[in-house]
Amino acid sequence: DDWVREELERGWLTYDDEGLVAALRAASTSRGPTLEELSRVRGAAAVVALADDPLHPAAVAARWAATIPGAALVEVPRDAPRHDRGALGRAAADALAGLSGSR
């Protein structure tokens, strides 16, 4: 009973076996931005963390937000998107709006 797993399964059904293998291999070799790259971000930035996400730990999101000059960090409860698919996007938009309001 995990909405993240359900969402992944729903997405995976759109691939044939070969396409899914290729997509998973590509995902396994793609890297996130380095802290050096993040430190050079000059635009407004919001980092949204999904609480208790084992694949994308909130601690990493906090490190990214601390590295991006002036970034906002917001954490959304893990179950929020189950009931409201727009929760993550709204959290980012609200954080960005807060940044522009404080400048």
Side-chain angles (χ1 to χ4, degrees):
D1 186 30
D2 182 354
W3 75 269
V4 176
R5 181 186 53 77
E6 292 167 5
E7 193 70 24
L8 288 172
E9 287 175 351
R10 193 171 13 262
W12 290 346
L13 290 174
T14 65
Y15 291 92
D16 62 16
D17 288 348
E18 186 176 303
L20 179 59
V21 168
L24 291 173
R25 283 194 176 135
S28 74
T29 60
S30 66
R31 67 169 185 83
T34 66
L35 295 179
E36 170 65 27
E37 291 167 336
L38 291 171
S39 73
R40 294 192 303 259
V41 172
R42 294 296 175 246
V47 179
V48 179
L50 187 60
D52 301 319
D53 183 344
L55 295 177
H56 307 95
V60 173
R63 191 171 334 126
W64 285 16
T67 302
I68 299 169
L73 173 66
V74 62
E75 190 168 323
V76 175
R78 180 171 172 80
D79 222 28
R82 169 189 295 282
H83 308 292
D84 176 8
R85 294 292 190 209
L88 296 172
R90 260 191 323 285
D94 290 348
L96 287 172
L99 286 176
S100 65
S102 66
R103 291 182 182 214

